[in-house]
Amino acid sequence: EIVLTQSPGTLSLSPGERATLSCRASQSVSNAYLAWYQQRPGQAPRLLIYGASNRATGIPDRFSGSGSGTDFTLTISRLEPEDFAVYYCQQYIRSPPGYTFGQGTKLEI
Amino acid sequence: QAHLQESGPGLVEPSGTLSLTCTVSNGFISENSYWSWVRQPPGKGLEWIGQVYHSGSANYNPSLRGRVTISIDKSRNQFSLILNSVTAADTAVYFCARHGGYNQDYWGQGNLVTVSS
């Protein structure tokens, strides 16, 4: 079983600053299978990044994803007030087919 | 753009059956796509429950296998979740979602289900 570990658990920053969120897998993950989501309080998750580095439709270009193998990163270049939320990474598992999520990083002001 | 809406009871008794339906708008259910259920216990992270393909074949989280069934009814633009023998640990917000490749790109707003007598 591949486990995704996100760090830090909580990240305290200010608007305008740069945020770097980490997702580490216990085994190598194909880039195609790695996604990032944002979840604001009381809302459903929103797809930000798919295929490790591709922005989903309508996602601002201040969000970027990078990495390969076991280490992946979500970067928010200049934080806006609406970016303070919880972020999850997710992997697709081929056999048996399924998905797992990291435990989440809370980005707070 | 797909719109998804969960519906079902908000309260289920322990050892009972949790049953939720997700209604998909605009004919998107007929696409060659997967449809998933994901849950989130209060104050905790996300857990994938399982998925169903437009053909009706399904895959489940091994931790729930034996208790869960996901099915699809394209004639009603719906897919459904049944979870048997529920306990307090199954209390969560349940989301339905559409797959856009190896991810979920459209989500319902979520339905809180509480397991309690």
Side-chain angles (χ1 to χ4, degrees):
Chain A
E1 177 186 349
I2 303 177
V3 177
L4 298 179
T5 301
Q6 293 186 240
S7 61
T10 301
L11 184 58
S12 299
L13 293 171
S14 299
E17 290 191 299
R18 181 185 186 91
T20 303
L21 287 67
S22 173
C23 177
R24 178 162 292 178
S26 57
Q27 299 175 44
S28 184
V29 174
S30 169
N31 281 26
Y33 298 161
L34 197 287
W36 288 92
Y37 297 83
Q38 176 195 67
Q39 188 178 32
R40 296 173 176 145
Q43 296 187 15
R46 178 173 71 144
L47 178 67
L48 295 176
I49 301 288
Y50 65 93
S53 61
N54 302 290
R55 276 188 300 276
T57 303
I59 301 303
D61 60 7
R62 65 179 181 274
F63 291 90
S64 63
S66 62
S68 64
T70 59
D71 291 300
F72 297 90
T73 300
L74 174 70
T75 301
I76 310 171
S77 59
R78 292 175 307 279
L79 287 166
E80 298 286 344
E82 63 267 27
D83 298 337
F84 291 91
V86 180
Y87 292 83
Y88 294 93
C89 59
Q90 179 203 49
Q91 63 162 342
Y92 169 73
I93 304 166
R94 295 190 65 179
S95 183
Y99 294 83
T100 60
F101 291 91
Q103 83 281 16
T105 290
K106 182 179 182 180
L107 180 55
E108 65 178 23
I109 299 178
Chain B
Q1 177 171 327
H3 178 73
L4 290 78
Q5 175 76 53
E6 304 91 350
S7 59
L11 182 65
V12 180
E13 291 192 352
S15 77
T17 297
L18 181 158
S19 181
L20 294 172
T21 296
C22 182
T23 301
V24 182
S25 66
N26 301 332
F28 281 94
I29 198 82
S30 299
E31 292 183 343
N32 291 346
S33 186
Y34 283 91
W35 305 87
S36 269
W37 287 96
V38 176
R39 69 180 181 178
Q40 184 172 40
K44 297 188 177 180
L46 301 167
E47 180 184 33
W48 178 78
I49 298 170
Q51 65 187 12
V52 62
Y53 193 47
H54 78 102
S55 66
S57 65
N59 306 104
Y60 304 114
N61 187 322
S63 69
L64 297 171
R65 191 168 292 149
R67 292 202 296 137
V68 61
T69 303
I70 298 174
S71 59
I72 190 167
D73 185 342
K74 288 178 286 187
S75 68
R76 295 190 175 193
N77 296 314
Q78 295 177 335
F79 64 105
S80 300
L81 168 69
I82 294 177
L83 184 64
N84 297 313
S85 305
V86 297
T87 69
D90 296 309
T91 293
V93 176
Y94 287 75
F95 296 99
C96 60
R98 190 197 80 156
H99 289 227
Y102 300 111
N103 54 73
Q104 289 81 42
D105 58 358
Y106 290 102
W107 295 68
Q109 86 284 0
N111 187 323
L112 174 62
V113 179
T114 301
V115 179
S116 175
S117 55

